[in-house]
Amino acid sequence: MTGQCNSRTCALLSGREVAGSIGSRPQHGAMKIGAMRNRRMISVGIKLSHDGGVSLFEDNRLVRCHEMEKLDNNPRYSEFRLTRDELSGLLAGVGCEWGEVDALVIDGWHTTPFAVTLGGEVVPFEVAEYGHLYDVRANPLARKAAFSSYFGREYTSYHHIAGHIFSSYCSSPMAQRGEPSYVLSWDGMSFPQLFHYGRDGKLECLGYLFPMSGFIYTYFAVNFEPYRDYRPNDLSLAGKYMAYIAKGRRQPSLLAGFHAIFDRLVAGNGPVTTHEQMLEFERALLLKLVFRAKASGFDDQDVLTTFHCFLEEVLVRTLTARLDELDKGVRNLCYAGGCALNIKWNSAIRRSCGLAELWIPPFPNDAGSAIGTVCTELVAKHGYDSITWDVYSGPSIRDTAWESPDWSARDCTLAELARLIHESQQPVIVLNGRAELGPRALGNRSIMAAPTSPEMKTLLNRIKRRESYRPVAPICAEEDAPRFFDPGTPDPYMLYDHRVRPDAVGRLPAVCHLDGTARLQTVGERENPRIHELLRHYERLSGVPVLCNTSANDLGSGFFPDVRSVAEWGHVNHIWSDGRLHTRTTDAE
C-alpha cells in the first residue's frame, strides 16, 4: 500500500510523479486496514480559523491541501470559507465525491462552539480545545465527536496542538525511518511545550520549557519604533521584526539585564504550572523587560535586536538542558508552531542543541493545521504515523478567461526565460504548476529576478510595497549552494538563515541582507525540475545558479492564483505561466 496510487488519483496529479515526497511507513495495524479495505480511505481535514484550509488524503497520502488565502486572491490569513457546494467542487476536482469521504476532521481552537460564516450563514462547530496540556498525564489525542447539520454528517475534532505535533512528526524523515523523536510546539498563543513520540506509537507530554508565549516577541516589539502603531497579535509583525533586527546591534549589558530579570522572576515565582499562572508570569516579565529596555538609553533598533537574542538564548539554553535531563535515546527533534518560522532561532537550535536531526515542515504554522488534524486522526484511529506528501500540493493555476490589448503572449522555454531575466534585468512573475504549501514562496508562485544588482532589492521591495529593510531571498541549485552560502546545506523550505560567503557578496548583492545573511531556498533537480533547469540556464548566462525569489502576491493577499490577477496588479512587465510568457506592451507602473 505504501507508495502506491490508484489510476484515478494519479491522473489527478497531472501525470506527474510526486517528486521529493517523503515516503510513508504503515505502523500499528495499518497493514491490517489495507488488507481489510477494497477501496481507498478518504479523509478531509479543515482548519476553520485564521490560516484556514482544507486537506484531502487518500489513505496516508496527501493528495491536496488548499489554503484559503491561495484561492481567488483572498486576504492573507483568511478563515475557512468554502460552502458545501464549493467543498464538493474541490473534492470533485481531485476525483472524489462527498459521499466517498470516510472521515471529516476539524482542527480544534479556543472557543466551543466555533462559529464560521459560510455562504452567508453563521455555522457553529463544536471543536476540541486548543490543547494547553499542563498535566503531563493528559492525553494529547483527546478528541471531540459532533454532528454538522451544515455538512450533513459527523466529524471529529482534535486539539489544535495535536495538529502541530503530528503535522511535523508524520511529515518527517524520522517517521519515514521509523525513528522516535522529540516534538516541540511553540505557537503565538501558546507556551513552548515538549513531547516525545516513541517507537511504540506512544506520545508523551513532557511539559513546558518556559512560560513565554510566542506572542511575547511582538508584545515587546510594539513598545518600540518602528512598530508602535501595530497590533501585538498582527500575524505579519513577527516576520518584519525578524528582518529588522539586522539594523541593530546586540547590547551585552542589556542582554545580561534581560536574563537577570527572567532568572529572578523564575526563582521567585516557584513552579508555574497552570495557564493562568503562565499568563500572569508573562505579563509581569514583559513589564519588567520593557521598563529595563526603556531605561537602558539604547536606540530602539538595538533594544529590539537584543530582545530577539534574549529569546533565542533562553530557547536554546532551556531546550538543551531539558533534552539532557530526559535522555530518551536518539536526539531527533521535530518543531512546529508559528515560532518555527523564525529562521534565526531555527539555525541556533540546529547549531547548539546537540541534535541528531532537526525537522521543520514547510507548513509549521497554522497553514499546516488542515494537514495536521488528519495526521492526528491517522495516528489515533488507523495506526499510520507517517504520510506521503509533496510540498507542491496546493491549488493549480486558475484557468481564467482573459484577454487584454495591453498584453501579448507567446510560448517561452526555460532557456528563453533565463535569458529574459538576465538581459532585461526586470522581475518576472513565475506561476509554475501547483502552488507550494505553507507561507513561503518556493518557486511555483514567485517573483524571480537577477540577483547581481543591489538596485534589484530596492525595486522588488518597492513593487511589493514592503519596508526597505526587508530582505529578498535567494533560490539556488542545491548542489551549488555551499559555494555561495555558509553552511549552504539543503534547505528546500527556507527555514534557516545562511551567511553569504565573502567572495559571493559582491556577486549577489540583491539577496544579501543587512547582516550578511540570506534566507536561502535550495532546489534539487528531483524536487522541482523546472525551476532547477531555469537556474542552470541562468548560470550559463550569468555565472551564478542563483535568482532572487520573493512571493508572487500583493500586500495583504495570498499568492496570485492566475495570470489575470497579476496583470491587473500591474507592477511587472512579464509573467511566465507554465511555458507561456505574457508581456506587457506598455510599461508597468
Side-chain angles (χ1 to χ4, degrees):
M1 175 166 50
T2 300
Q4 299 300 311
C5 177
N6 67 32
S7 58
R8 187 176 186 184
T9 302
C10 285
L12 295 163
L13 290 170
S14 302
R16 179 168 77 85
E17 292 280 339
V18 184
S21 298
I22 294 180
S24 62
R25 180 179 58 93
Q27 291 288 317
H28 319 308
M31 291 304 294
K32 181 179 179 181
I33 293 168
M36 291 172 60
R37 300 186 64 89
N38 294 318
R39 66 175 182 86
R40 57 187 180 166
M41 177 179 67
I42 302 298
S43 304
V44 171
I46 293 177
K47 168 67 160 64
L48 292 171
S49 54
H50 73 81
D51 289 298
V54 56
S55 67
L56 172 68
F57 280 75
E58 176 188 355
D59 295 322
N60 63 331
R61 177 187 295 277
L62 174 65
V63 179
R64 293 285 182 273
C65 182
H66 288 194
E67 300 156 42
M68 293 301 102
E69 69 172 46
K70 295 174 184 173
L71 300 173
D72 302 322
N73 220 20
N74 287 334
R76 293 287 310 278
Y77 318 116
S78 290
E79 294 186 353
F80 180 82
R81 284 289 182 266
L82 295 183
T83 65
R84 286 166 294 192
D85 290 343
E86 289 169 331
L87 183 57
S88 295
L90 187 152
L91 295 173
V94 292
C96 175
E97 297 179 3
W98 185 240
E100 291 184 86
V101 173
D102 297 284
L104 176 63
V105 195
I106 297 180
D107 180 65
W109 199 236
H110 289 279
T111 56
T112 305
F114 188 89
V116 179
T117 302
L118 300 174
E121 178 183 349
V122 177
V123 180
F125 288 92
E126 294 284 338
V127 298
E129 298 294 340
Y130 187 98
H132 297 292
L133 304 174
Y134 304 99
D135 187 341
V136 296
R137 297 167 298 179
N139 177 18
L141 292 174
R143 59 183 177 263
K144 178 187 288 288
F147 181 85
S148 168
S149 58
Y150 185 81
F151 287 123
R153 61 168 299 141
E154 293 183 344
Y155 64 88
T156 303
S157 181
Y158 291 90
H159 288 321
H160 177 70
I161 195 172
H164 283 317
I165 293 167
F166 287 108
S167 68
S168 58
Y169 180 79
C170 292
S171 65
S172 73
M174 297 79 144
Q176 180 188 15
R177 298 191 301 262
E179 294 178 0
S181 182
Y182 295 98
V183 184
L184 174 63
S185 177
W186 191 16
D187 235 352
M189 299 179 71
S190 70
F191 304 94
Q193 190 165 6
L194 193 63
F195 301 84
H196 185 265
Y197 189 78
R199 286 191 177 92
D200 57 359
K202 180 182 178 182
L203 179 68
E204 293 182 77
C205 177
L206 301 174
Y208 287 86
L209 296 184
F210 47 78
M212 289 191 285
S213 71
F215 271 143
I216 198 171
Y217 194 57
T218 51
Y219 291 159
F220 183 89
V222 296
N223 292 279
F224 302 92
E225 295 295 347
Y227 301 118
R228 290 181 186 274
D229 294 332
Y230 281 77
R231 294 179 291 108
N233 59 348
D234 185 326
L235 296 176
S236 71
L237 179 51
K240 295 177 181 179
Y241 177 10
M242 182 177 65
Y244 187 77
I245 65 168
K247 293 175 66 70
R249 292 177 298 172
R250 176 180 178 273
Q251 297 293 342
S253 61
L254 181 58
L255 182 61
F258 285 163
H259 280 294
I261 290 169
F262 177 76
D263 292 342
R264 282 198 301 269
L265 204 55
V266 169
N269 273 41
V272 179
T273 58
T274 69
H275 187 60
E276 291 73 22
Q277 288 174 330
M278 288 191 174
L279 290 174
E280 183 179 348
F281 178 98
E282 184 177 57
R283 283 192 291 266
L285 175 65
L286 183 64
L287 287 172
K288 292 177 183 295
L289 293 173
V290 170
F291 181 82
R292 174 70 177 84
K294 289 184 175 293
S296 70
F298 292 116
D299 292 341
D300 284 7
Q301 60 192 30
D302 289 353
V303 166
L304 290 171
T305 300
T306 303
F307 182 72
H308 170 98
C309 295
F310 161 71
L311 286 179
E312 179 181 297
E313 290 181 5
V314 171
L315 173 61
V316 169
R317 180 186 70 189
T318 310
L319 177 60
T320 302
R322 190 77 175 108
L323 294 177
D324 288 344
E325 172 191 330
L326 291 165
D327 190 21
K328 285 183 172 288
V330 61
R331 200 148 157 161
N332 292 326
L333 179 68
C334 298
Y335 183 23
C339 294
L341 290 172
N342 192 307
I343 62 173
K344 299 201 177 282
W345 294 348
N346 296 348
S347 296
I349 291 172
R350 185 168 67 172
R351 181 175 61 245
S352 304
C353 290
L355 300 174
E357 186 169 357
L358 173 62
W359 168 254
I360 305 171
F363 36 78
N365 63 331
D366 284 13
S369 292
I371 295 172
T373 197
V374 173
C375 290
T376 307
E377 172 92 344
L378 293 175
V379 169
K381 288 188 176 180
H382 304 293
Y384 289 110
D385 58 8
S386 74
I387 61 172
T388 299
W389 62 281
D390 181 354
V391 72
Y392 301 106
S393 295
S396 300
I397 300 167
R398 193 170 59 183
D399 185 13
T400 308
W402 172 71
E403 291 184 6
S404 171
D406 297 325
W407 289 82
S408 63
R410 65 175 178 86
D411 291 341
C412 179
T413 66
L414 292 167
E416 292 170 328
L417 176 59
R419 184 168 295 279
L420 172 66
I421 292 172
H422 177 63
E423 293 182 352
S424 73
Q425 292 293 299
Q426 293 184 33
V428 177
I429 285 193
V430 173
L431 306 180
N432 175 43
R434 298 193 179 279
E436 46 274 81
L437 305 178
R440 303 267 163 85
L442 303 175
N444 279 16
R445 300 292 184 273
S446 292
I447 306 177
M448 294 191 181
T452 52
S453 167
E455 288 75 26
M456 186 58 72
K457 182 193 297 185
T458 303
L459 173 61
L460 290 172
N461 279 334
R462 179 177 64 78
I463 67 175
K464 291 286 296 288
R465 295 188 285 163
R466 304 194 318 173
E467 298 83 356
S468 60
Y469 62 81
R470 300 283 292 278
V472 171
I475 185 168
C476 179
E478 180 180 284
E479 61 270 27
D480 293 314
R483 291 168 45 204
F484 300 93
F485 304 97
D486 180 15
T489 47
D491 192 354
Y493 310 129
M494 305 174 77
L495 290 168
Y496 303 92
D497 71 338
H498 301 249
R499 187 157 295 278
V500 182
R501 294 193 181 276
D503 58 348
V505 170
R507 302 175 70 187
L508 303 171
V511 298
C512 186
H513 194 27
L514 299 173
D515 61 0
T517 65
R519 191 179 72 189
L520 170 68
Q521 181 199 353
T522 59
V523 178
E525 184 175 10
R526 182 170 177 265
E527 286 71 29
N528 196 325
R530 274 184 169 177
I531 300 303
H532 187 272
E533 182 183 344
L534 174 64
L535 292 167
R536 292 266 73 97
H537 286 305
Y538 182 74
E539 181 188 23
R540 295 185 188 103
L541 300 168
S542 68
V544 291
V546 181
L547 287 169
C548 295
N549 172 27
T550 188
S551 55
N553 70 305
D554 190 19
L555 183 69
S557 298
F559 295 158
F560 292 119
D562 54 16
V563 173
R564 179 176 183 170
S565 60
V566 181
E568 291 175 346
W569 178 54
H571 292 293
V572 294
N573 289 326
H574 305 286
I575 309 163
W576 188 91
S577 177
D578 278 350
R580 293 280 288 174
L581 179 68
H582 302 261
T583 300
R584 189 182 179 95
T585 54
T586 57
D587 288 338
E589 297 176 9

